[in-house]
Amino acid sequence: MALDNDFFRPWLQRKWCWDNGFFVVIKPVERGSYRTKVTINLDIQKNIQHGKEEYTQNSTKLEHKINELYEYMFRTFR
């Protein structure tokens, strides 16, 4: 695997977001077991937008959504 720009792009996007006050926050819907339901909140420079969709904790669908949101914030607010 070559270490090119495509390999580091997701990390560079997240780093830019973190340095500029953009965060994706995972909040559990209920207290409970290992694979509980969670919602995603966006912390955009101290303004919090609450998500409505529920995801299973530690799922690949949640991971893809987090990556998608960081990419969206990077492209929108950069």
Side-chain angles (χ1 to χ4, degrees):
M1 172 194 243
L3 297 178
D4 57 359
N5 209 16
D6 290 336
F7 178 78
F8 289 110
R9 183 171 289 127
W11 186 83
L12 293 171
Q13 290 173 348
R14 284 182 185 214
K15 177 147 178 33
W16 182 91
C17 288
W18 297 335
D19 290 344
N20 291 288
F22 300 96
F23 301 96
V24 175
V25 181
I26 308 302
K27 183 166 181 170
V29 174
E30 60 188 31
R31 207 171 172 180
S33 65
Y34 170 70
R35 296 186 65 83
T36 186
K37 297 286 185 182
V38 296
T39 58
I40 296 176
N41 297 335
L42 295 179
D43 183 353
I44 301 174
Q45 296 178 337
K46 305 291 183 189
N47 295 319
I48 297 177
Q49 296 180 359
H50 300 283
K52 295 182 176 130
E53 282 188 55
E54 292 184 355
Y55 298 91
T56 304
Q57 185 178 3
N58 298 331
S59 66
T60 56
K61 185 177 177 186
L62 176 62
E63 182 182 343
H64 291 302
K65 188 63 174 183
I66 291 169
N67 290 337
E68 178 185 323
L69 288 170
Y70 273 118
E71 183 176 357
Y72 166 76
M73 289 191 295
F74 176 77
R75 291 179 189 272
T76 303
F77 299 110
R78 184 180 70 156

